[in-house]
Structures are given as C-alpha cells and as structure tokens.
Coordinates of all heavy atoms in Angstrom, one line a residue:
N256 N -0.1 17.0 16.3 CA -1.0 17.5 17.3 C -1.7 16.4 18.1 O -2.8 16.5 18.5 CB -2.1 18.5 16.8 CG -1.5 19.7 16.1 OD1 -0.5 20.2 16.6 ND2 -2.2 20.2 15.1
G257 N -0.9 15.3 18.3 CA -1.3 14.1 19.0 C -2.2 13.2 18.2 O -2.6 12.1 18.7
A258 N -2.6 13.5 17.0 CA -3.4 12.6 16.2 C -2.5 11.8 15.2 O -1.7 12.4 14.5 CB -4.5 13.4 15.4
P259 N -2.7 10.5 15.1 CA -1.9 9.7 14.2 C -2.3 9.9 12.7 O -3.5 10.0 12.4 CB -2.2 8.2 14.6 CG -3.5 8.3 15.2 CD -3.6 9.6 15.9
V260 N -1.3 10.2 11.9 CA -1.4 10.4 10.5 C -0.7 9.5 9.6 O -0.6 9.6 8.4 CB -1.1 11.9 10.1 CG1 -2.0 12.8 10.8 CG2 0.4 12.2 10.5
G261 N 0.0 8.5 10.2 CA 0.8 7.6 9.4 C 1.8 6.8 10.3 O 1.6 6.7 11.5
K262 N 2.8 6.2 9.7 CA 3.8 5.3 10.4 C 5.1 5.5 9.7 O 5.3 6.0 8.6 CB 3.3 3.9 10.4 CG 3.3 3.3 9.0 CD 2.9 1.8 9.1 CE 3.0 1.2 7.6 NZ 2.6 -0.3 7.7
V263 N 6.1 5.0 10.4 CA 7.5 4.9 9.8 C 7.6 3.7 9.1 O 7.6 2.5 9.6 CB 8.5 5.0 11.0 CG1 10.0 4.9 10.4 CG2 8.4 6.3 11.8
A264 N 7.9 3.8 7.7 CA 8.0 2.6 6.9 C 9.3 1.9 7.1 O 9.4 0.7 7.2 CB 7.7 3.0 5.4
S265 N 10.4 2.7 7.1 CA 11.7 2.1 7.2 C 12.7 3.2 7.7 O 12.4 4.4 7.7 CB 12.2 1.6 5.9 OG 12.3 2.6 5.0
I266 N 13.8 2.8 8.3 CA 14.9 3.7 8.8 C 16.1 3.4 8.0 O 16.6 2.2 8.0 CB 15.0 3.5 10.3 CG1 13.7 3.8 11.1 CG2 16.2 4.4 10.8 CD1 13.8 3.5 12.5
E267 N 16.7 4.4 7.4 CA 18.0 4.2 6.6 C 19.1 5.0 7.3 O 19.0 6.2 7.4 CB 17.7 4.7 5.2 CG 18.9 4.6 4.3 CD 18.7 5.2 3.0 OE1 17.6 5.6 2.7 OE2 19.7 5.3 2.2
P268 N 20.1 4.3 7.7 CA 21.3 5.1 8.3 C 22.1 5.8 7.2 O 22.2 5.3 6.0 CB 22.1 4.0 8.9 CG 21.8 2.7 8.2 CD 20.3 2.9 7.8
L269 N 22.6 7.0 7.5 CA 23.3 7.9 6.5 C 24.8 7.8 6.8 O 25.2 7.6 8.0 CB 22.8 9.3 6.6 CG 21.3 9.5 6.2 CD1 20.9 11.0 6.4 CD2 21.0 9.0 4.9
P270 N 25.6 8.1 5.9 CA 27.1 8.0 6.1 C 27.6 9.0 7.1 O 28.6 8.7 7.8 CB 27.7 8.3 4.7 CG 26.6 8.0 3.7 CD 25.3 8.3 4.4
D271 N 26.9 10.2 7.3 CA 27.3 11.2 8.2 C 26.9 10.9 9.7 O 27.1 11.7 10.6 CB 26.9 12.5 7.8 CG 25.4 12.6 7.7 OD1 24.7 11.6 7.9 OD2 24.8 13.7 7.5
G272 N 26.3 9.7 9.9 CA 25.9 9.4 11.2 C 24.4 9.7 11.5 O 23.9 9.4 12.5
G273 N 23.8 10.4 10.5 CA 22.3 10.7 10.7 C 21.5 9.5 10.2 O 21.9 8.4 10.0
A274 N 20.2 9.8 10.1 CA 19.2 8.8 9.8 C 18.1 9.4 8.9 O 17.8 10.5 9.1 CB 18.6 8.1 10.9
A275 N 17.7 8.6 7.9 CA 16.6 9.0 7.0 C 15.4 8.1 7.3 O 15.4 6.9 7.2 CB 17.0 8.9 5.6
L276 N 14.4 8.8 7.8 CA 13.1 8.0 8.3 C 12.2 8.2 7.1 O 11.7 9.3 6.7 CB 12.6 8.7 9.5 CG 13.2 8.2 10.8 CD1 14.6 8.8 11.0 CD2 12.3 8.7 12.0
H277 N 11.9 7.0 6.5 CA 10.9 7.0 5.4 C 9.5 6.8 6.0 O 9.2 5.7 6.6 CB 11.2 5.9 4.4 CG 12.6 6.1 3.8 ND1 12.9 7.0 2.8 CD2 13.8 5.4 4.0 CE1 14.1 6.9 2.4 NE2 14.7 5.9 3.2
L278 N 8.6 7.8 5.8 CA 7.3 7.8 6.4 C 6.3 7.4 5.4 O 6.4 7.7 4.2 CB 7.0 9.2 7.0 CG 7.9 9.8 7.9 CD1 7.4 11.2 8.4 CD2 8.4 8.9 9.1
A279 N 5.2 6.8 5.8 CA 4.1 6.4 5.0 C 2.9 7.1 5.6 O 2.4 6.6 6.7 CB 3.9 4.9 4.9
L280 N 2.4 8.2 5.0 CA 1.3 8.9 5.6 C 0.0 8.6 4.9 O -0.1 8.2 3.8 CB 1.6 10.5 5.4 CG 2.9 11.0 6.0 CD1 3.1 12.5 5.7 CD2 3.0 10.7 7.4
D281 N -1.1 8.8 5.6 CA -2.4 8.5 5.2 C -2.8 9.6 4.1 O -2.6 10.8 4.3 CB -3.4 8.5 6.3 CG -3.1 7.5 7.3 OD1 -2.5 6.5 7.0 OD2 -3.5 7.6 8.5
P282 N -3.3 9.1 3.0 CA -3.7 10.1 1.9 C -4.7 11.1 2.4 O -4.6 12.3 2.0 CB -4.2 9.3 0.8 CG -3.6 7.9 1.0 CD -3.5 7.8 2.5
G283 N -5.6 10.7 3.2 CA -6.6 11.6 3.7 C -6.1 12.7 4.7 O -6.8 13.7 4.9
S284 N -4.9 12.4 5.3 CA -4.4 13.3 6.3 C -3.4 14.4 5.6 O -3.1 15.4 6.2 CB -3.8 12.6 7.4 OG -4.6 11.8 8.1
V285 N -2.8 14.0 4.5 CA -1.9 14.8 3.9 C -2.4 16.2 3.4 O -1.7 17.2 3.5 CB -1.2 14.0 2.7 CG1 -0.2 15.0 1.9 CG2 -0.4 12.8 3.2
D286 N -3.7 16.2 3.0 CA -4.2 17.4 2.5 C -4.3 18.5 3.5 O -4.3 19.7 3.2 CB -5.6 17.2 1.9 CG -5.6 16.2 0.7 OD1 -4.5 16.1 0.1 OD2 -6.6 15.5 0.5

C-alpha cells in the first residue's frame, strides 16, 4: 500500500527461466 516494509536481500535465477526473490521484511511490519 505504498509503505516500505522491507527490501530484496538477493535474487536467485531458477532453471525454468523464473526468479526467486529473497525478501528481508521488517519484524514489526510482518504482524
């Protein structure tokens, strides 16, 4: 909703051409 709650820690390419985005979210926002 426009409010930052974390960042992208790393990007992992997948064999099928897709991508796995590993996110690091703020503990206070996850709830």
Side-chain angles (χ1 to χ4, degrees):
N256 296 329
V260 293
K262 66 178 182 178
V263 178
S265 61
I266 302 174
E267 177 185 358
L269 299 178
D271 58 354
L276 280 67
H277 300 285
L278 310 183
L280 303 182
D281 298 335
S284 303
V285 173
D286 296 337

